[in-house]
Amino acid sequence: MKSLDQLVRPNIWSLSPYSCARNEYQGSEATAFLDANENPYNNPYNRYPDPMQRELKDIISNVKDVAPENIFLGNGSDEAIDLTFRIFCIPGKDNVVSIAPSYGMYKVCADINNVEFRAVELEEDFSLNADKLLKAVSTSTKIIFLCSPNNPSGNCLADEEIEKVLHAFDGIVVLDEAYSDFAFNESYRHRLEEYPNIIVLNTMSKAWGCAAIRLGMAFASAEIINLFNKVKYPYNVNLLTQQKAMEIIRRKVDVERWVNNILNERETLMDAFTYLPCCIKVYPTDANFFLAKMTDANRIYNYLVKCGVITRNRTTQPLCRDCIRITIGTPEENNALLAALRKYKDENL
Ligand code: PMP
């Protein structure tokens, strides 16, 4: 791996971050807080939240088994994705490499930051070929984006191929594990010492059932986390989100039950899909969704919308011709989908 001072944008490396009032004074002994120009009334919402989310990080540290100094919390994992561009990529000069198809925000953030985005197609079965991916790397490549389980294909990428990328590439590897709570693979967040160039992403939006509160996590070396902390907005995670996140983490048993239900429903729904005349193929998945190749994705997607069932049409994505992505819902939602598809009449059938 290149040293961080070679990888980080020079202006970020030398940046003096904004020092907010709540960073300067961190004790709790004081009787008068006259430092932050807050309103003294309407406690507790009158006060700025902890900019470093210490209490929440301690709890997440226990659940995820990662030290607090290796954790960044953001406004969804989307914030962490954007920050990696702003920390490492010089606009108009550097590039990033990503698998395709994958999560759309990697490219959107690249475009916003004026960074060249090099998409390398996965194999036909959505597996990763590390050698092929690495061929797209140039001396200006700062980041490689991998996603496992991958969105929209649903499959985990093979460890041998991920490790090949981690060993061969001298820049930053972002491994997005947004859906890892539905998979049985070991998370790379436990291997931060082995791979100092990795940033592992996780979120409360999926298994934890908290997409509305916007809380994403990045796990990385303490040096990389310090860079995130330098660049983020001072109070990037609001108090309500911090409180709700702590609440849901205490309901770990409910979360485990939801995940089990979703995995059971996934099996039932995928099995039912194999009997549908309008379904050509169901792709194996390790996530809370699956990809299905249909006879005509556009037509079926529009038909389902009319039936009040919304799926994700992925037909324009690389390797996803005529594919729709289906999120596993409640048994009632899944039955509504199946009932509609059983009634579907395809002209070509
Ligand atoms: N990564 C992947 C692979 C995703 O599919 C999504 C959301 N669809 C995200 C990240 C964004 O997660 P968050 O809600 O934490 O911003």
Side-chain angles (χ1 to χ4, degrees), residues 74-79 81 102-103 105-106 147-151 176-179 201-206 210-211 214-217 289 325:
N75 186 338
S77 27
D78 287 342
E79 180 179 355
I81 293 167
S102 198
Y103 180 44
M105 279 303 282
Y106 312 143
C147 183
S148 181
N150 187 36
N151 176 7
D176 190 339
E177 294 189 348
Y179 299 96
L201 303 182
N202 218 190
T203 178
M204 297 207 78
S205 301
K206 310 296 173 184
C210 277
R214 312 302 303 129
L215 191 81
M217 297 153 232
F289 59 83
R325 193 192 69 195

Side-chain angles (χ1 to χ4, degrees), residues 103-130:
Y103 180 44
M105 279 303 282
Y106 312 143
K107 178 166 183 345
V108 172
C109 286
D111 290 347
I112 291 169
N113 288 287
N114 190 23
V115 170
E116 184 197 344
F117 184 81
R118 299 184 173 187
V120 179
E121 280 191 9
L122 294 167
E123 304 302 290
E124 282 292 322
D125 63 355
F126 298 114
S127 61
L128 170 65
N129 178 334

Side-chain angles (χ1 to χ4, degrees), residues 170-228:
D170 59 7
I172 298 295
V173 177
V174 172
L175 178 59
D176 190 339
E177 294 189 348
Y179 299 96
S180 60
D181 296 299
F182 301 100
F184 296 96
N185 297 25
E186 183 73 8
S187 166
Y188 280 80
R189 72 175 182 271
H190 302 305
R191 301 172 73 177
L192 301 179
E193 282 186 14
E194 196 181 337
Y195 298 117
N197 58 336
I198 200 171
I199 299 173
V200 180
L201 303 182
N202 218 190
T203 178
M204 297 207 78
S205 301
K206 310 296 173 184
W208 294 83
C210 277
I213 73 170
R214 312 302 303 129
L215 191 81
M217 297 153 232
F219 305 109
S221 70
E223 292 73 26
I224 293 178
I225 296 299
N226 282 341
L227 291 162
F228 275 95

Side-chain angles (χ1 to χ4, degrees), residues 14-250:
S14 58
L15 180 75
S16 304
Y18 176 70
S19 174
C20 53
R22 287 292 168 271
N23 261 341
E24 274 178 24
Y25 177 76
Q26 290 172 16
S28 54
E29 308 295 296
T31 50
F33 287 97
L34 307 177
D35 56 346
N37 298 348
E38 297 150 335
N39 184 325
Y41 306 110
N42 191 33
N43 193 36
Y45 300 111
N46 57 331
R47 300 292 175 200
Y48 283 104
D50 176 4
M52 302 306 272
Q53 311 100 20
R54 288 177 186 79
E55 197 184 347
L56 177 55
K57 275 189 193 161
D58 283 345
I59 295 173
I60 289 179
S61 163
N62 277 329
V63 175
K64 298 283 178 183
D65 198 21
V66 174
E69 61 270 23
N70 298 116
I71 303 174
F72 163 79
L73 299 180
N75 186 338
S77 27
D78 287 342
E79 180 179 355
I81 293 167
D82 186 49
L83 288 184
T84 55
F85 281 95
R86 293 167 63 197
I87 292 168
F88 294 106
C89 299
I90 301 175
K93 175 173 178 289
D94 290 334
N95 68 68
V96 302
V97 170
S98 171
I99 55 170
S102 198
Y103 180 44
M105 279 303 282
Y106 312 143
K107 178 166 183 345
V108 172
C109 286
D111 290 347
I112 291 169
N113 288 287
N114 190 23
V115 170
E116 184 197 344
F117 184 81
R118 299 184 173 187
V120 179
E121 280 191 9
L122 294 167
E123 304 302 290
E124 282 292 322
D125 63 355
F126 298 114
S127 61
L128 170 65
N129 178 334
D131 293 329
K132 188 168 125 189
L133 188 82
L134 289 163
K135 283 206 184 94
V137 168
S138 71
T139 49
S140 302
T141 305
K142 289 291 185 67
I143 310 170
I144 291 180
F145 284 92
L146 300 177
C147 183
S148 181
N150 187 36
N151 176 7
S153 52
N155 58 312
C156 280
L157 305 178
D159 281 327
E160 306 89 88
E161 300 301 303
I162 295 177
E163 284 165 28
K164 212 186 254 184
V165 174
L166 284 163
H167 282 290
F169 180 52
D170 59 7
I172 298 295
V173 177
V174 172
L175 178 59
D176 190 339
E177 294 189 348
Y179 299 96
S180 60
D181 296 299
F182 301 100
F184 296 96
N185 297 25
E186 183 73 8
S187 166
Y188 280 80
R189 72 175 182 271
H190 302 305
R191 301 172 73 177
L192 301 179
E193 282 186 14
E194 196 181 337
Y195 298 117
N197 58 336
I198 200 171
I199 299 173
V200 180
L201 303 182
N202 218 190
T203 178
M204 297 207 78
S205 301
K206 310 296 173 184
W208 294 83
C210 277
I213 73 170
R214 312 302 303 129
L215 191 81
M217 297 153 232
F219 305 109
S221 70
E223 292 73 26
I224 293 178
I225 296 299
N226 282 341
L227 291 162
F228 275 95
N229 290 337
K230 256 172 117 173
V231 178
K232 77 181 184 71
Y233 285 161
Y235 305 104
N236 62 327
V237 180
N238 71 68
L239 179 69
L240 300 174
T241 294
Q242 294 188 41
Q243 288 173 339
K244 276 286 163 201
M246 289 190 260
E247 232 175 74
I248 197 76
I249 292 170
R250 276 185 220 110

